[in-house]
Amino acid sequence: MTNSTRRPIVIDRFYEVLDEETQAQLTPEQKQEIEGALVSITLSTHHRIDIRKSFPFFGTRYYMVFLLGRDLRKRLRKESTLVRIVVTLLILGGSIFAVLCLLLTLYMIKSAVGIDLIRNFHVGIWDWWLSLRNN
C-alpha cells in the first residue's frame, strides 16, 4: 500500500478492540463513516509542523507538543468571546514586542557602525549600553 491509501493505525486499533459480532453487522457505509470520524478526532492526521519534545527539569520530565496544519474538522470549536479577546491581545502584544526588538536591534547596529540618520540627535540607548560595559 502507498502512503495515500494506507489506513491509519488508529483504525486498525479500533477494529482490534471492537467486538467481532458488532464489526460483522456494520455496513461498508457505516465503516467508512466511523473511520472518517476516528481520523478526524485523533492526531493520526498529517501536520505541516509536528514538534514533540520532552526535557528534564529538576528531576521531573516535562513535554511540549506543537502541531500546525489545516483544520479538517467539519464542526468548528466553540470559543468564548473572552478567549478570543485574550488570544488577540497576546498575538498583538507579541507582534508589537517582536517589532520593537527588531527596531532596537537595527538601532544598535546603526549606532555601532556610526551612522547618524538625524545630525546631532541621539536617543541615548547606545551611550547607555557603552556605559554598562565601562562600569
Side-chain angles (χ1 to χ4, degrees):
M1 286 184 188
T2 64
N3 279 345
S4 61
T5 61
R6 189 178 66 205
R7 199 160 72 170
I9 195 166
V10 70
I11 295 173
D12 293 332
R13 289 181 182 167
F14 171 77
Y15 285 124
E16 287 174 6
V17 185
L18 187 63
D19 182 47
E20 290 181 14
E21 275 186 40
T22 307
Q23 186 176 347
Q25 293 174 358
L26 293 174
T27 66
E29 293 82 18
Q30 289 172 327
K31 285 183 179 181
Q32 187 176 5
E33 286 296 319
I34 290 171
E35 291 172 7
L38 282 171
V39 168
S40 69
I41 63 171
T42 61
L43 294 178
S44 64
T45 57
H46 299 288
H47 296 88
R48 293 258 181 208
I49 298 174
D50 187 345
I51 301 171
R52 299 166 192 253
K53 299 287 181 192
S54 65
F55 52 92
F57 187 71
F58 291 113
T60 306
R61 292 199 63 80
Y62 292 91
Y63 67 92
M64 173 193 73
V65 176
F66 181 76
L67 302 172
L68 182 69
R70 277 188 55 215
D71 189 0
L72 301 175
R73 295 174 295 194
K74 292 180 183 175
R75 291 186 291 169
L76 296 175
R77 285 189 176 174
K78 294 180 182 177
E79 292 182 351
S80 70
T81 305
L82 179 63
V83 169
R84 283 188 277 165
I85 290 171
V86 169
V87 168
T88 302
L89 290 175
L90 285 173
I91 291 172
L92 181 65
S95 300
I96 290 172
F97 180 74
V99 168
L100 289 175
C101 286
L102 177 68
L103 290 174
L104 178 64
T105 302
L106 291 174
Y107 176 80
M108 296 297 275
I109 292 171
K110 172 204 79 76
S111 297
V113 173
I115 299 172
D116 280 336
L117 298 177
I118 301 172
R119 191 174 303 272
N120 297 325
F121 175 76
H122 301 283
V123 178
I125 298 173
W126 181 252
D127 295 331
W128 170 78
W129 180 257
L130 290 177
S131 72
L132 288 177
R133 194 174 66 176
N134 294 334
N135 288 336

